[in-house]
């Protein structure tokens, strides 16, 4: 379980294919604190640390993960948002995040607002019921509030700290990001669906 508050960024150092899996080695300031079998969110995707080497760590993405996220587009040198799982003894600064990506969204617009940045994203229409005005969303692992919500589009505003301390600044029009919708919204939507199908 995560909160969507990014701790640091890692850089992809190497990528290998092993059958349908992709194996990534990343270098980060947190790598030497990780333990084998630890869960760490990478751009919002919960991945298990399977090898360590000094200031580097290794994770493996299986075909299911590669199909539902943007991990398959990673290249050597890519910056990746990292967050360790939450410690349940304090405040949750973001919102409850599972690290289970629902889909990807495509960047439609990136606007420099002279002190902040505004991004607009398009999601697959089957997820439209899960976005609400001023609701929470996890974008590449970042807990954000959405606004200007339409049927299948939404906007987010990015403050300077988030722009420089996460990889949101590298996102350009046409690029995809990982999206995890609010878990509470997903349960509410499921209940509503069942009420119409179960008599």
């Amino acid at each position: 379980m995560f909160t969507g508050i990014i701790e640091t960024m890692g850089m992809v150092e190497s990528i290998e294919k092993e059958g349908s899996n992709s194996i990534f080695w990343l270098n980060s300031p947190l790598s030497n604190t990780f333990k084998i079998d630890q869960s760490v969110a990478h751009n919002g995707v919960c991945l298990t640390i399977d090898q360590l080497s000094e200031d580097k760590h290794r994770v493996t993405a299986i075909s299911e993960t590669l199909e539902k996220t943007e991990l398959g587009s990673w290249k050597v040198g890519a910056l990746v948002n990292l967050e360790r799982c939450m410690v349940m003894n304090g405040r949750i600064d973001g919102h409850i995040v599972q690290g289970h990506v629902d889909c990807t969204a495509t960047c439609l617009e990136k606007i420099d607002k002279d002190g902040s940045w505004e991004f607009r994203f398009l999601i697959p229409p089957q997820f439209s019921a899960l976005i609400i005005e001023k609701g929470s969303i996890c974008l590449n692992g970042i807990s954000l509030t959405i606004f200007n919500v339409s049927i299948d589009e939404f906007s987010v505003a990015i403050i300077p700290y988030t722009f420089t301390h996460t990889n949101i600044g590298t996102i350009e029009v046409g690029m995809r990001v990982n999206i995890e919708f609010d878990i509470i919204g997903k349960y509410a939507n499921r209940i509503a669906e069942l009420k119409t199908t179960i008599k």
Side-chain angles (χ1 to χ4, degrees):
M1 199 72 74
F2 306 93
T3 66
I5 304 300
I6 304 305
E7 295 185 83
T8 190
M9 287 187 283
M11 180 177 287
V12 178
E13 288 209 340
S14 69
I15 305 170
E16 305 166 33
K17 290 294 290 184
E18 191 173 276
S20 61
N21 298 340
S22 287
I23 299 168
F24 303 98
W25 275 99
L26 296 96
N27 177 297
S28 85
L30 289 177
S31 295
N32 62 8
T33 71
F34 294 159
K35 298 177 182 176
I36 300 294
D37 206 31
Q38 180 177 352
S39 294
V40 177
H42 293 67
N43 274 2
V45 183
C46 181
L47 296 172
T48 301
I49 307 298
D50 58 27
Q51 278 194 42
L52 295 168
S53 176
E54 297 178 353
D55 56 354
K56 295 184 287 189
H57 67 275
R58 194 184 89 159
V59 291
T60 300
I62 62 174
S63 58
E64 167 79 3
T65 304
L66 295 170
E67 289 167 11
K68 289 191 174 177
T69 70
E70 50 73 67
L71 269 65
S73 66
W74 284 3
K75 296 194 170 30
V76 171
L79 294 175
V80 177
N81 295 328
L82 298 177
E83 181 192 356
R84 292 171 291 186
C85 58
M86 73 166 73
V87 179
M88 299 289 280
N89 66 352
R91 296 180 180 88
I92 298 176
D93 290 317
H95 70 283
I96 296 172
V97 176
Q98 293 182 295
H100 303 161
V101 170
D102 295 297
C103 66
T104 60
T106 302
C107 181
L108 298 176
E109 199 171 28
K110 178 180 182 179
I111 305 169
D112 186 336
K113 306 284 282 188
D114 192 23
S116 67
W117 291 261
E118 187 176 309
F119 291 78
R120 189 150 186 85
F121 291 95
L122 173 71
I123 60 169
Q126 63 265 35
F127 296 102
S128 295
L130 298 176
I131 54 173
I132 62 168
E133 191 70 19
K134 298 296 187 286
S136 296
I137 204 162
C138 190
L139 187 156
N140 267 6
I142 310 165
S143 174
L144 295 169
T145 300
I146 63 177
F147 63 96
N148 287 347
V149 174
S150 67
I151 295 298
D152 54 1
E153 297 179 14
F154 65 86
S155 296
V156 292
I158 305 297
I159 63 172
Y161 182 89
T162 304
F163 194 85
T164 56
H165 286 81
T166 73
N167 66 9
I168 190 70
T170 68
I171 302 302
E172 301 294 343
V173 172
M175 293 177 66
R176 293 186 306 141
V177 295
N178 294 323
I179 296 291
E180 180 183 335
F181 300 102
D182 182 23
I183 186 66
I184 298 171
K186 287 193 273 191
Y187 275 114
N189 188 58
R190 177 64 172 161
I191 291 166
E193 285 178 350
L194 290 175
K195 282 182 176 177
T196 63
T197 57
I198 299 175
K199 305 296 182 189

